[in-house]
Amino acid sequence: MILEPVTIQCPHCGLISRHYQVMSGTIFDSETFTDGKTDVISGAYGKDPFLIRCRRCQGFYFFGDHINEQKEDFDDLPGLDYEEHYLEKEDYHEALQQINQLSPEREKWLRTLLWWAINDLIRNNAGWGKRRSKILEFVNFILKPLQKVKWLHYSYPEYRKWLSAKNDNMRRLLQLLDPVNDINDACLSVEIHRELAAFSLARQQLKMISPKNCHAFYRTQKRLLRHRDRFVRKINYSPVHNTQQEVVLVTGE
């Protein structure tokens, strides 16, 4: 992985921080989910921040707008904190309310990040963590196979708390997509309709996608729609399928 030293300055309070911008990297193993998020399992890989929340003034700003050349005192500057650019769902939700005059592309990416962050509660099996209810503990004890039943995550208070915000965010995100002219948007449109339980619309959108372009995604969505599943799932690739030909569902700026 090749890194380039840069400095960034908060436009709100003027705080200057140092950071190493990612120029290239290698992914050896990863897993992709139906909402377009890819988690890197192994590899020399990193990605530049998209949105930053200043540790001093708590203001939001976009990394790409405030990169400066490396200064002579680079090593003496404080580094960008992890919490400043690895944001949580609460941060993305607040940023969408605070930032004015977002371009359609930036709003689309910001809403996608919020969507992923809420889905992480399901993606990371948070519903079966330490805070699960006594009822779920009893069910888990009696019928262990039910650990994989995704609808039980509705009993998880944190996910239920964010469900309304998630649905509102997805509906707005749909308005920013162009499924007719962009296959990435077409794939996201299928997933959003499915997660909103609009299964008929999801099937209609899926028919617009050629299985040759994204075979694994197409096959996974057909199975999920058949079971009327409305949760994010991992895309299962066939061992003999060439994943190099799959489309990348979502990219950043």
Side-chain angles (χ1 to χ4, degrees):
M1 184 164 60
I2 301 175
L3 303 174
E4 178 74 19
V6 296
T7 61
I8 55 172
Q9 185 171 12
C10 173
H12 308 294
C13 70
L15 178 67
I16 300 176
S17 303
R18 59 181 169 85
H19 186 69
Y20 289 94
Q21 189 175 14
V22 178
M23 305 304 291
S24 67
T26 303
I27 298 175
F28 298 114
D29 192 15
S30 65
E31 54 185 15
T32 302
F33 297 86
T34 51
D35 61 359
K37 184 177 182 181
T38 297
D39 284 343
V40 177
I41 299 173
S42 64
Y45 172 79
K47 57 183 179 181
D48 289 325
F50 172 64
L51 183 71
I52 294 174
R53 183 164 204 170
C54 178
R55 63 182 176 275
R56 186 161 74 182
C57 71
Q58 296 300 300
F60 293 103
Y61 64 97
F62 293 102
F63 175 81
D65 292 347
H66 300 281
I67 300 174
N68 300 314
E69 295 180 0
Q70 180 181 349
K71 296 181 178 293
E72 294 181 358
D73 58 348
F74 179 83
D75 292 333
D76 298 327
L77 293 171
L80 196 66
D81 285 350
Y82 179 89
E83 293 79 8
E84 288 185 89
H85 59 96
Y86 282 91
L87 304 182
E88 302 289 343
K89 53 189 177 298
E90 293 84 358
D91 298 308
Y92 295 128
H93 189 261
E94 187 176 343
L96 282 164
Q97 296 174 326
Q98 286 190 12
I99 301 176
N100 297 321
Q101 298 180 339
L102 275 172
S103 68
E105 282 302 312
R106 281 186 167 172
E107 183 183 356
K108 174 183 171 182
W109 186 235
L110 194 51
R111 290 192 180 279
T112 299
L113 291 172
L114 173 59
W115 178 29
W116 289 355
I118 298 173
N119 270 352
D120 284 345
L121 293 170
I122 302 299
R123 196 188 331 269
N124 299 331
N125 293 319
W128 296 98
K130 296 180 180 178
R131 290 181 287 177
R132 61 190 175 193
S133 69
K134 294 296 183 181
I135 294 176
L136 287 183
E137 287 184 358
F138 178 74
V139 170
N140 183 40
F141 175 76
I142 299 299
L143 296 172
K144 288 189 177 181
L146 286 181
Q147 290 186 37
K148 296 183 179 180
V149 178
K150 292 290 183 176
W151 61 262
L152 287 175
H153 286 289
Y154 271 120
S155 298
Y156 185 57
E158 184 71 6
Y159 183 74
R160 292 183 65 184
K161 184 180 77 173
W162 281 93
L163 187 58
S164 177
K166 173 191 169 180
N167 290 344
D168 289 343
N169 182 63
M170 288 192 298
R171 292 187 184 100
R172 171 55 186 159
L173 185 54
L174 269 177
Q175 299 174 10
L176 299 169
L177 300 180
D178 182 12
V180 175
N181 299 308
D182 190 320
I183 191 167
N184 294 342
D185 286 2
C187 291
L188 292 181
S189 180
V190 172
E191 177 68 7
I192 290 174
H193 283 304
R194 187 179 65 81
E195 290 191 29
L196 288 171
F199 300 115
S200 296
L201 290 174
R203 290 189 184 94
Q204 292 176 19
Q205 290 292 322
L206 189 61
K207 290 178 181 178
M208 297 171 57
I209 301 172
S210 171
K212 296 180 180 179
N213 292 332
C214 43
H215 177 74
F217 176 84
Y218 188 92
R219 187 183 65 248
T220 301
Q221 288 289 1
K222 284 197 70 173
R223 174 175 56 83
L224 296 177
L225 286 167
R226 186 167 60 250
H227 294 290
R228 299 179 69 85
D229 187 324
R230 60 179 298 180
F231 290 91
V232 63
R233 297 280 195 170
K234 185 169 72 173
I235 296 177
N236 295 316
Y237 291 99
S238 169
V240 297
H241 180 62
N242 182 8
T243 60
Q244 297 298 320
Q245 296 178 357
E246 290 282 344
V247 296
V248 178
L249 300 185
V250 182
T251 58
E253 277 192 296

